[in-house]
């Protein structure tokens, strides 16, 4: 397919399968064909995800000699990314949310046990959870955790991840769900192979939208990447490059994106039968 001209004829989302994924087992093909949903098989392993413009995408490309303490296996890579990068990212986001709630609800006195401002009360309940009024539910932001092979908030998965591991290096990428259209998840079947903590939960009961917890932050998507950059800078020297520079490099080194896609690229568009 022509990657430059293909997107306008497709739905506003895409389904991305892992290298070994079988569409007939993982996707409701009648629905995707009816709605003309773009399906892609990527070069890395892992499961099937739905991505759209509200997906937040991150990728680590590591060399084993540059990161000798990270064993080149999926679980070990994820443990490193959780401890070093994503744990601090989500700790910071949680602190941002609670700081905002405290500041917005209680003005300059967040440490008061109780307080009345502008006709509203706020403070800490008996369990030391922040509340914004006498009758409001406590503000609850679940902690980030690596559970089995998933990044989760509480008991809900909030992104898909996959690895590609070769001699001398590895790649780990994640699509975090800032938000998504609920109906789009119906394109996916309940996979036969799934983590124990999921059980038989549907996609709606199993997945979390980051927007549900961090949506109160101004420009929350940008804040996510700001916190991601800050966490990364604790371990690496970070140098930012623009999309234009990246495309220029692809043009120079690989002959352009279309040439790469038609040639050595292992990611492929799956045509509906």
């Amino acid at each position: 397919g022509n990657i430059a001209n293909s997107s306008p004829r497709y739905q506003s989302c895409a389904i991305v399968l892992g290298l070994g994924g079988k569409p007939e087992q993982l996707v409701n093909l009648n629905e995707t064909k009816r709605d003309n949903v773009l399906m892609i098989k990527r070069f890395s392993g892992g499961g099937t995800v739905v991505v759209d413009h509200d997906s937040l995408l991150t990728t680590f490309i590591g060399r084993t000699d540059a990161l000798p303490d990270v064993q080149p296996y999926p679980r070990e890579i994820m443990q490193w990314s959780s401890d070093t990068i994503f744990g601090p990212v989500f700790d910071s986001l949680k602190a941002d949310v609670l700081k905002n709630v405290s500041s917005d609800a209680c003005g300059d006195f967040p440490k008061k046990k109780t307080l009345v401002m502008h006709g509203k009360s706020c403070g800490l309940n008996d369990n030391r959870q922040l509340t914004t009024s006498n009758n409001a539910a406590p503000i609850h932001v679940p902690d980030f955790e690596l559970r089995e092979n998933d990044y989760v908030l509480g008991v809900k998965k909030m992104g898909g991840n996959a690895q590609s591991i070769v001699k001398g290096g590895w790649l780990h990428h994640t699509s975090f769900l800032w938000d998504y259209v609920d109906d789009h998840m119906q394109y996916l079947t309940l996979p036969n192979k799934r983590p124990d903590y999921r059980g038989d939960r549907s996609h709606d009961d199993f997945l979390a939208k980051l927007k549900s917890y961090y949506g109160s932050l101004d420009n929350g998507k940008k804040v996510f990447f700001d916190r991601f950059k800050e966490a990364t800078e604790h371990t690496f020297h970070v140098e930012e490059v623009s999309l234009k520079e990246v495309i220029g490099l692809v043009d120079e080194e690989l002959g352009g994106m279309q040439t790469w896609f038609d040639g050595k690229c292992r990611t492929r568009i799956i045509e509906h039968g």
Side-chain angles (χ1 to χ4, degrees):
N2 188 306
I3 58 174
N5 299 323
S6 62
S7 57
R9 64 190 176 94
Y10 289 109
Q11 258 276 20
S12 58
C13 69
I15 295 173
V16 185
L17 294 89
L19 183 63
K22 296 179 172 58
E24 65 274 12
Q25 296 178 5
L26 300 169
V27 179
N28 290 313
L29 293 175
N30 289 336
E31 284 80 359
T32 56
K33 184 175 183 179
R34 178 198 64 204
D35 295 341
N36 200 28
V37 178
L38 175 65
M39 292 196 299
I40 300 168
K41 180 167 286 192
R42 63 179 181 267
F43 65 91
S44 59
T48 306
V49 296
V50 177
V51 296
D52 61 19
H53 294 293
D54 279 318
S55 302
L56 309 181
L57 308 179
T58 66
T59 300
F60 295 104
I61 301 174
R63 296 293 181 187
T64 51
D65 57 353
L67 293 168
D69 295 332
V70 183
Q71 293 299 307
Y73 303 100
R75 176 69 188 192
E76 284 76 5
I77 293 170
M78 293 191 70
Q79 192 66 62
W80 168 81
S81 63
S82 297
D83 294 343
T84 307
I85 307 295
F86 293 128
V89 167
F90 284 96
D91 285 347
S92 295
L93 289 172
K94 181 174 183 176
D96 289 339
V97 169
L98 296 181
K99 180 180 179 181
N100 270 9
V101 172
S102 174
S103 177
D104 291 346
C106 304
D108 296 327
F109 307 98
K111 296 181 180 180
K112 293 289 185 180
K113 180 67 177 178
T114 58
L115 178 69
V116 176
M117 287 190 64
H118 308 300
K120 296 194 298 184
S121 66
C122 58
L124 300 175
N125 65 13
D126 292 337
N127 295 319
R128 299 194 62 77
Q129 294 173 308
L130 189 64
T131 60
T132 56
S133 71
N134 287 331
N135 298 319
I139 304 299
H140 177 64
V141 180
D143 288 329
F144 168 85
E145 182 182 352
L146 173 61
R147 190 162 184 174
E148 299 184 45
N149 289 316
D150 289 338
Y151 297 133
V152 301
L153 290 175
V155 296
K156 290 193 173 187
K157 180 177 179 178
M158 41 66 165
N161 70 83
Q163 289 73 229
S164 178
I165 301 172
V166 298
K167 183 179 180 179
W170 48 264
L171 175 149
H172 172 68
H173 47 199
T174 304
S175 57
F176 289 102
L177 300 169
W178 177 259
D179 196 7
Y180 57 82
V181 178
D182 294 344
D183 288 346
H184 288 171
M185 292 301 168
Q186 305 311 310
Y187 294 134
L188 305 182
T189 64
L190 184 67
N192 291 326
K193 184 180 180 181
R194 51 189 183 271
D196 291 338
Y197 79 95
R198 174 174 183 169
D200 294 329
R201 284 187 288 167
S202 67
H203 294 293
D204 288 340
D205 293 331
F206 178 56
L207 299 176
K209 300 178 181 181
L210 298 184
K211 180 180 177 181
S212 298
Y213 303 110
Y214 313 111
S216 62
L217 300 175
D218 290 337
N219 204 354
K221 294 180 188 178
K222 181 180 182 300
V223 174
F224 172 88
F225 284 111
D226 287 345
R227 298 293 176 255
F228 178 78
K229 179 185 175 186
E230 290 169 4
T232 305
E233 286 174 332
H234 284 292
T235 301
F236 303 103
H237 170 72
V238 177
E239 181 178 347
E240 293 190 55
V241 295
S242 67
L243 178 59
K244 183 178 180 180
E245 290 175 293
V246 172
I247 293 175
L249 183 63
V250 172
D251 290 341
E252 180 181 338
E253 299 291 334
L254 303 174
M257 192 68 75
Q258 187 67 51
T259 299
W260 167 252
F261 184 78
D262 291 337
K264 293 182 178 181
C265 180
R266 292 184 292 150
T267 294
R268 289 285 178 257
I269 292 174
I270 302 173
E271 298 294 344
H272 286 95

